[in-house]
Amino acid sequence: MVVGASVAGLTTAVTLRTLGYDGRLTLIGDEPHTPYNRPPLSKQILAGTWEPDRIKLRTDEELSDLDARLLFGRSATGLDTATRRVTLDGGDSVGYDTLVIATGVTPNSLPGAHHLAGVHLLRTLDDALALRADLRHRPDVRVAVVGAGFLGSEAAAAARRMKLDVTMIDPRPVPMRRQFGDRIAALVGRLHKKNGVSMRCGTGVRRFFESGGRVTGLELTDGTLLGADVVVVAIGSVPAIGWLAGSGLELGNGVECDPTCRAAPGVYAAGDVASWHNDHFGCRMRLEHRLNATEQAQAVARNVLGENRPFAPVPYFWTDQYDAHIQAYGIFPADAELAVLHGELEGGHFVVAYGHAGRVVGVLGWNSPCELRRLRQLVVDRAPWASVAPTPPAVWTGRHLSASIR
Amino acid sequence: MQVTVHQDKCVASGQCVLAAQDVFDQRDEDGVAVLLDERPPTELHDDVRQAAAVCPALAITPAGS
C-alpha cells in the first residue's frame, strides 16, 4: 500500500509494477485530482501559460493499466503498525503487507491571516488556480509575497510576468540565502530588483489589514505599511506526519528512516516526507526536490522487493526566475566555500563549486546547463576541494575542466 | 522503440543524458534536450525508459518495446 499519490507515491507504484510485482496494490491520495506534476504550479500554471491538463503525471488509461486500487480524495488519519492497518478519513481502515509513506509536506501558514480572502498558500493545483484567479482579478492588483525561498521567488517572478506590482518580504537579508548562501543569494536579490520587484528583506510581517473579510494590506516589523490585494504566503513547509502520531514510527524532521529508506519492518518512506541517512554525504537529509521524489521512490520500490540497497544520491534541483535558469547538484552548507569553475558571477552564465570539509559537495549553475551536468561528476567523486579552489589555475577554465572530466 | 522528446516541456535538467548519453544530448545554448537516436537499439531500451521515468518535466515518451 502506498499513502500519498503525488510524484513519490505514484512512482513507487509504477516502479513496483515495472519490476514485476503483480500482487495487490493500493494507492491513496488526499487530493481529488489524479496525480500531477508540481513544479509548473509556481511557474507556467500560475503565469497562465499552461492549463492543468498539461501537468498530469499519467493519463487515465495509464492509471487504469496500473491495476491498482486508487483511492483519491481520501486522507489517511492513522497507522497501526502492529495490525498493519491504515485508517482513512471516513473511519474505515485498509490492511497492508508493506506500507510506503509518501504524504509529502504541508505549507506553513501565518497566524491570523488565512481567514482573509486574498491570502494564499501555494502547494496544490487548487491553490495555484485560486491564486491565479485572484492575480487576474484586476489589472492593477498589488501583490505581497511573504517568504523569498524557491516558491516565493518563483511566485514573485510569475506575478511580475503578469505585469503586477510585487513586493517580496523576508526576514533574511537576501532571497534564497538558506538554499544558496550569501553570494549567490545576493545575485538572486539583484535579479528580482532588476525585474521590478520591491524587496523588503530583513523584515517580517507584524499584522494584516482587512476590509469586509478581504486583505487590504500589511504592516511590517520595521513599521512599513504596504497596500496589498493579494498575499502569497511561502514560508516553508513541514512534513505531513500528523497522521502517524502514536504509530510507533520514529518521527522527527519527517519519517526517520535508515539508509535504505526503511522506517520500520514493512514500512518505508519516500519523497518530501522521508528523512534518511545519505551515505554519500555522510549525513541525514530530507529533500523537497522534484527529482528526489522520483529517485527515492524508485529506490524504495526496489528495496520493498528485496534489493535492500542504501539510497545515496547526489541531489538535484532547479528554479526558474525571469531569464535565470538556476540548477544545482549536491548539498549547500551555509559555511561552504565557493569557487567559480565556469563563466563569471557577474556575467549571467556561470558554474560555482561549493566546498565543505575539504571536498566538493555541490555545484550550482546559472544559465549553464551543459557545463553544470559535466561538472556534476566532481560531486559524485567527492573531489578534493584543493583541486578546484580557491582560484582555479589559469589553464583550468570551465571548458578545459569540462573536457577533462567528461 | 520510437522515442519522442517534447522540447516545449523540457526544463534542461540533463537527466536524460545522464541516463542514456547515446540517445540524448542537450543544446549548448539553453540545455534543452536533443534526440540523437529516435529508434535506439534494444540494448539501450532500459536506459531510455529510465530517462523517461526520471525526467522531471515528463518530456520523454518511449513508445513500443
Side-chain angles (χ1 to χ4, degrees):
Chain A
M1 176 195 301
V2 181
V3 180
S6 193
V7 170
L10 179 69
T11 303
T12 304
V14 168
T15 309
L16 284 168
R17 287 297 190 223
T18 305
L19 295 175
Y21 172 72
D22 61 1
R24 286 199 299 170
L25 187 57
T26 303
L27 181 60
I28 299 167
D30 62 355
E31 290 188 60
H33 307 284
T34 58
Y36 58 86
N37 203 21
R38 280 186 212 282
L41 294 183
S42 51
K43 306 177 182 79
Q44 294 91 343
I45 294 290
L46 196 54
T49 52
W50 287 11
E51 291 306 318
D53 265 0
R54 199 155 170 183
I55 60 171
K56 283 188 172 195
L57 288 172
R58 288 293 184 283
T59 63
D60 291 349
E61 192 189 345
E62 287 166 333
L63 285 176
S64 158
D65 288 347
L66 254 187
D67 191 22
R69 185 179 176 205
L70 305 175
L71 299 175
F72 296 152
R74 301 291 308 276
S75 29
T77 56
L79 167 65
D80 186 332
T81 49
T83 59
R84 298 203 173 195
R85 295 193 78 81
V86 169
T87 310
L88 301 181
D89 47 6
D92 48 332
S93 69
V94 189
Y96 64 85
D97 297 314
T98 303
L99 171 68
V100 177
I101 297 168
T103 41
V105 292
T106 308
N108 291 319
S109 48
L110 270 179
H114 294 274
H115 63 289
L116 297 174
V119 177
H120 294 264
L121 294 170
L122 180 48
R123 172 69 184 169
T124 66
L125 175 58
D126 290 344
D127 292 342
L129 294 176
L131 173 57
R132 180 168 93 179
D134 242 9
L135 292 176
R136 285 173 168 179
H137 183 59
R138 286 201 325 256
D140 59 345
V141 165
R142 297 162 302 170
V143 185
V145 178
V146 184
F150 284 106
L151 198 60
S153 293
E154 291 185 359
R160 280 302 298 151
R161 205 170 303 133
M162 299 164 85
K163 311 271 187 237
L164 302 174
D165 179 272
V166 179
T167 303
M168 190 149 64
I169 301 143
D170 196 286
R172 298 179 186 89
V174 278
M176 308 208 64
R177 184 193 201 197
R178 200 167 52 85
Q179 291 82 4
F180 296 152
D182 281 325
R183 276 174 76 189
I184 304 302
L187 296 179
V188 178
R190 210 186 301 163
L191 180 70
H192 283 283
K193 277 184 201 154
K194 193 181 100 187
N195 283 279
V197 173
S198 170
M199 301 294 294
R200 299 280 181 169
C201 287
T203 180
V205 177
R206 183 172 289 151
R207 60 184 169 134
F208 290 84
F209 299 107
E210 59 149 321
S211 171
R214 186 168 184 97
V215 71
T216 57
L218 28 85
E219 181 184 346
L220 305 185
T221 49
D222 65 3
T224 307
L225 301 178
L226 279 179
D229 310 294
V230 174
V231 176
V232 183
V233 177
I235 51 172
S237 44
V238 291
I241 51 176
W243 66 286
L244 298 169
S247 65
L249 293 184
E250 207 165 317
L251 304 175
N253 177 22
V255 176
E256 302 220 337
C257 302
D258 70 11
T260 68
C261 306
R262 198 184 74 136
V267 182
Y268 296 78
D272 297 6
V273 77
S275 160
W276 89 108
H277 190 273
N278 184 330
D279 290 348
H280 183 77
F281 294 95
C283 61
R284 179 165 282 280
M285 52 178 73
R286 184 179 70 77
L287 300 173
E288 298 178 11
H289 300 330
R290 170 64 178 81
L291 184 67
N292 185 67
T294 299
E295 291 185 334
Q296 195 164 24
Q298 290 185 330
V300 163
R302 290 192 297 265
N303 288 344
V304 164
L305 297 178
E307 189 175 287
N308 217 23
R309 199 162 68 180
F311 176 57
V314 169
Y316 168 80
F317 62 87
W318 84 96
T319 175
D320 295 325
Q321 300 171 26
Y322 314 102
D323 59 355
H325 183 57
I326 306 169
Q327 303 169 290
Y329 286 102
I331 58 173
F332 302 86
D335 55 346
E337 295 176 78
L338 254 64
V340 179
L341 301 183
H342 162 76
E344 292 168 34
L345 290 189
E346 304 299 325
H349 298 264
F350 63 81
V351 177
V352 288
Y354 287 63
H356 194 255
R359 300 282 166 183
V360 178
V361 295
V363 286
L364 178 144
W366 186 296
N367 288 332
S368 302
C370 298
E371 292 81 3
L372 180 75
R373 192 192 74 241
R374 291 165 196 145
L375 291 164
R376 166 185 182 271
Q377 195 62 34
L378 294 170
V379 189
V380 174
D381 294 342
R382 304 182 69 248
W385 183 242
S387 68
V388 300
T391 308
V395 292
W396 276 50
T397 64
R399 238 175 88 209
H400 285 102
L401 187 55
S402 309
S404 68
I405 63 168
R406 184 147 191 205
Chain B
M1 176 186 277
Q2 171 80 38
V3 186
T4 311
V5 169
H6 310 279
Q7 290 186 327
D8 55 332
K9 281 186 161 184
C10 178
V11 295
S13 75
Q15 299 305 314
C16 52
V17 186
L18 294 173
Q21 61 176 359
D22 293 332
V23 181
F24 304 98
D25 199 355
Q26 289 180 276
R27 281 200 305 237
D28 276 342
E29 65 272 26
D30 58 8
V32 166
V34 177
L35 192 54
L36 300 177
D37 187 352
E38 61 183 56
R39 289 188 171 278
T42 314
E43 64 268 24
L44 296 179
H45 288 188
D46 281 350
D47 291 347
V48 172
R49 283 191 204 97
Q50 177 63 3
V54 295
C55 174
L58 312 168
I60 299 167
T61 313
S65 55

